Amino acid sequence: MSAVDRPSHPATPRRKWPVAILGATGAVGQAFIRVLSYHPWFEVAEVAASDRSAGRSYREATRWLESELPPRIGDLTVPPCDPP
């Protein structure tokens, strides 16, 4: 879905809020990516996962379970998930 396809709403912000998804390679992380990928208010800016996936592209690090991996997300590099 492109910006043109996205429905506009008076409450839609001019700039999207960047978000990071922790545990992004798991089933729940993938569901968050699917929901937020085309959200009018949020932009998936980072996808973090375990040390096993760190340093690889998201496309390489995950076995995508959802319908279609958004191309921009697949190109993101996965940092280690090390929340303080």
Side-chain angles (χ1 to χ4, degrees):
M1 181 181 292
S2 70
V4 175
D5 299 328
R6 197 172 2 162
S8 63
H9 185 276
T12 301
R14 292 178 156 232
R15 187 174 155 265
K16 291 185 173 189
W17 290 87
V19 296
I21 298 174
L22 306 178
T25 57
V28 174
Q30 290 183 30
F32 272 105
I33 289 170
R34 180 182 46 79
V35 170
L36 294 175
S37 290
Y38 303 108
H39 196 283
W41 295 3
F42 304 106
E43 175 182 9
V44 178
E46 193 162 340
V47 289
S50 68
D51 290 338
R52 185 178 62 234
S53 300
R56 296 166 38 186
S57 73
Y58 185 73
R59 182 176 288 103
E60 295 170 340
T62 191
R63 188 174 66 98
W64 188 251
L65 303 172
E66 297 287 331
S67 58
E68 182 181 326
L69 175 61
R72 190 186 69 73
I73 305 298
D75 294 336
L76 293 174
T77 299
V78 179
C81 184
D82 189 19

